[in-house]
Amino acid sequence: MTSDQYRPRWTGPGEPAVDDAGVYETLMRLDEPVHIVGGPYGLGAAAGGRVTADGPHEIVAAVPPLGPERLGSAAFLAAHGIRQAYMSGAMANGIASADMVVAMARAGFLGSYGAAGLLPEAVEKALIRFRDEIPGLGYACNLIHSPSEDRLERSAVELFLAYGVPCVEASAFLKLTPHLVRYRLAGLRAGGPHGVIAANRVIAKISRTETAELFMRPAPEAIVRQLLADGLITEEQARLAPRVPLADDITVEADSGGHTDRRPLPALLPVIMRQRDAIMQETGYPERIRIGAAGGIGTPDAAAAAFTMGADYIVTGSVNQSCLEAGTSPQVKQMLAQAGIADFEMAPAADMFEMGVELQVLRRGTFFPMRAKQLYELYRTYDGIEEIPAEVRERVEKQIFRRPLESVWEETAEYFRRRDPDQLVRAEGHPKRRAALVFRWYLGMASRWAKTGEADRAVDYQIWCGPAMGSFNAWVRGTYLAAPEHRRVADVARQIMTGAAFHQRLAMLRAAGVAFPAGITTRPSPEDTASCDRAVGVGR
């Protein structure tokens, strides 16, 4: 028995196995069917369906073509105008940069701009780039729930509407806000095969069933009525609102960087999918709500597992922060490239500090998690800065702030006079609220120092990240992607998706009783894929 690829060698009696140097290359021909054939020489793999025999043989198993573009939901690809069901999620303060979004869009992936935490002028500058550089291509912008900075959320939505942003990635929402609902409803119009067209798409990032339900239901009637009364939506849009869910896509966020409940994806994803199915049956929406998977996805194996569980798309975050296009400093990218799977910890979040909400950050190489927790304990224990014991306050000023707290308050007050004066109004006569703003200064500056690479503050860097970063580093060790200066966001996406398609094919063959040696099951590595690309003239 021979194939167009190679002559298989005998593998001996017992459990079927494939053991040949050419098997991997055959299986990586993802755009062709592959047959596992048994004969007098043992087992072998043949691609393209061209198998000839020089003795008795049989087809033991077969898999169809399965390129990365076949993974996930075709409806997701069509809705967002992309070629592969892969999204780079938003990282706040522009860490998910305009460069990253442009690179992803041009490569056929969906990128989300990290608009959260940025002033309107910075967001507008990025939107002008998207309008001019990627017209007609799919992209998203992050809208983060800002319970303490309502004006920023409102300004972001006004910019998204003004520049025709096609999709918003809504994250960290504890409840629905009029601004988010306004964005969604402002894109509704009558038409299409189902009688309603939703031009403004929403991807909701959630980790709880109660939050998922908010986005799977139509916009709340009370908010719709108020938007109509305020003249922010039309009567037709108010009439169409009950016919569509608030979100087209629901991203199930497991153990991720930044805001996270650290729930395992295999436990959370099926629950949300069953919840979606029940609501779909109840409401009779004309189009299916799609469910994506995020958190802990940093390798082809993890991506393949998510798709096998039924995810319509996958979202990566941490792994993109170490890429060249990420809007953070080279120092941070080097720190991320050295992280292991256990080098992460929870710490207080600046945007929800008073509520005790935490987010996941890098622990290795920085004192930020420990110092942020210390500040939150001071906030909980004392009713204002003035009540902090003198020796404790002196230590905090010397080690953490490196300046008097009164000086920090003066700078904080000046910042909010420009950004959000309502914060100062709320702090008047409330020492505890004033203390929160002072402590939030450190948390906010810690992320800024990391982004700008402030060398003198390296031990205070706040770097939002999760275990996927350590998993990715282990996977690329010894390859060209080990060095952050070689990591490009679209290349990382392509590597993960190509490897995921390969692992999907292996899973199909395993189900048919074919066993593979570890040398095949632990591939592909980035170097493997790069070699295959060079052979067919694909650049990285």
Side-chain angles (χ1 to χ4, degrees), residues 184-399:
R184 174 62 164 173
L185 300 190
L188 297 183
R189 68 178 188 274
H194 306 297
V196 57
I197 297 173
N200 293 349
R201 291 180 292 278
V202 172
I203 300 175
K205 187 187 297 182
I206 61 91
S207 57
R208 302 182 182 186
T209 54
E210 60 269 26
T211 310
E213 179 140 359
L214 294 176
F215 286 97
M216 292 179 184
R217 299 284 182 183
E221 292 182 13
I223 296 179
V224 175
R225 286 196 302 267
Q226 189 60 53
L227 290 172
L228 180 60
D230 293 341
L232 297 177
I233 61 173
T234 67
E235 290 187 3
E236 179 184 61
Q237 289 163 348
R239 177 177 58 80
L240 294 173
R243 301 179 59 179
V244 296
L246 192 64
D248 308 275
D249 304 285
I250 304 290
T251 299
V252 177
E253 183 182 34
D255 191 4
S256 66
H259 288 286
T260 178
D261 286 323
R262 306 184 84 177
R263 291 178 175 145
L265 189 64
L268 183 59
L269 184 62
V271 171
I272 302 300
M273 294 177 73
R274 285 193 291 270
Q275 182 184 20
R276 182 270 316 273
D277 292 346
I279 291 177
M280 288 289 300
Q281 283 189 326
E282 174 192 337
T283 59
Y285 292 136
E287 294 187 15
R288 175 176 167 273
I289 300 172
R290 297 174 292 268
I291 305 295
I297 300 177
T299 64
D301 318 61
F307 285 121
T308 299
M309 292 174 63
D312 291 307
Y313 60 97
I314 61 170
V315 182
T316 59
S318 297
V319 299
N320 303 318
Q321 192 173 180
S322 66
C323 292
L324 288 171
E325 297 90 348
T328 193
S329 64
Q331 295 92 322
V332 165
K333 293 172 185 177
Q334 287 289 345
M335 292 171 68
L336 289 169
Q338 297 169 10
I341 198 167
D343 290 333
F344 310 93
E345 188 174 347
M346 300 299 289
D351 56 345
M352 300 181 186
F353 180 79
E354 297 92 320
M355 301 167 64
V357 174
E358 292 187 320
L359 40 67
Q360 190 160 207
V361 297
L362 182 69
R363 178 181 60 196
R364 178 174 179 172
T366 173
F367 293 150
F368 172 79
M370 176 185 68
R371 291 177 170 177
K373 290 177 181 179
Q374 182 180 353
L375 293 180
Y376 183 68
E377 284 305 310
L378 292 176
Y379 171 75
R380 290 181 64 247
T381 304
Y382 303 103
D383 288 330
I385 293 173
E386 294 75 15
E387 292 192 10
I388 300 176
E391 66 276 12
V392 175
R393 176 168 174 170
E394 181 180 358
R395 184 172 65 250
V396 167
E397 289 178 333
K398 181 179 180 180
Q399 295 179 355

